[in-house]
Amino acid sequence: MTTLILTVAGADRPGLVAAVADAVDAHGGNWENSRLAELAGTFAGVIEVSVAADRVAELQAALRALTGLLTVTIHTGSDAAAHRDANSISLSVLGNDRAGIVHEISGVLSSHALSITRIDTETRDAAMAGGRLFESTVTATVPASADLDALRTDLEKLATEIQVDITLA
């Protein structure tokens, strides 16, 4: 089986997931994992599918035929086994929303050679205080050479600088 990673985006409307699922099913593929969402009127996501090697080209053609409904970009997946065995950390971020929070946090993680495997972010109205709150959950793989104490120190320093709460687990 060949793993394909699909990125999809288009104006949100009923039937978008069904259109992709129909193409995958019609070509003997299996929908493995996905992260899909509507954001500001646009439906977007990433989908992992597996398909027999001899059917890859026809599935790719069927997915490209969705142009006009969705823009689909297709990548061949890599061996994920190496990532499954890696240690990981999670961190939660909560604070007043402002530009640059993701930039600052991802910069600290990158400087310690951590690779973000998942990031979920959301802004919402602050219930009592007014304004907007930023909330994020980040999962990252940790190389064996990482100094977790130094990472924790850098995250605590950043939290103070940008005035957010960062919880490392």
Side-chain angles (χ1 to χ4, degrees):
M1 297 296 274
T2 298
T3 299
L4 299 177
I5 305 300
L6 317 175
T7 58
V8 299
D12 190 34
R13 59 182 162 201
L16 297 179
V17 173
V20 176
D22 288 348
V24 171
D25 184 63
H27 296 88
N30 187 42
W31 188 296
E32 302 280 349
N33 295 296
S34 61
R35 303 288 185 267
L36 307 167
E38 180 275 327
L39 301 166
T42 298
F43 176 78
V46 180
I47 306 163
E48 175 189 355
V49 299
S50 58
V51 63
D54 62 341
R55 301 203 65 191
V56 169
E58 63 188 52
L59 174 56
Q60 289 175 327
L63 292 166
R64 287 188 181 104
L66 297 175
T67 300
L69 184 64
L70 282 169
T71 300
V72 180
T73 305
I74 305 164
H75 305 272
T76 302
S78 62
D79 181 17
H83 294 292
R84 282 188 211 117
D85 296 332
N87 290 327
S88 66
I89 62 156
S90 293
L91 59 106
S92 300
V93 181
L94 179 63
N96 290 325
D97 187 35
R98 69 166 191 74
I101 295 174
V102 172
H103 170 76
E104 298 286 346
I105 291 169
S106 63
V108 169
L109 296 178
S110 177
S111 73
H112 287 272
L114 276 69
S115 177
I116 295 173
T117 56
R118 181 171 177 143
I119 181 170
D120 295 310
T121 65
E122 177 183 22
T123 59
R124 56 186 159 83
D125 290 329
M128 299 296 219
R132 303 280 295 163
L133 286 178
F134 174 85
E135 187 170 13
S136 179
T137 304
V138 179
T139 304
T141 57
V142 181
S145 61
D147 181 344
L148 291 179
D149 290 331
L151 172 64
R152 186 176 308 276
T153 298
D154 288 351
L155 287 171
E156 288 171 356
K157 179 181 173 189
L158 176 63
T160 300
E161 288 174 8
I162 64 174
Q163 299 179 345
V164 298
D165 291 325
I166 299 177
T167 306
L168 182 62

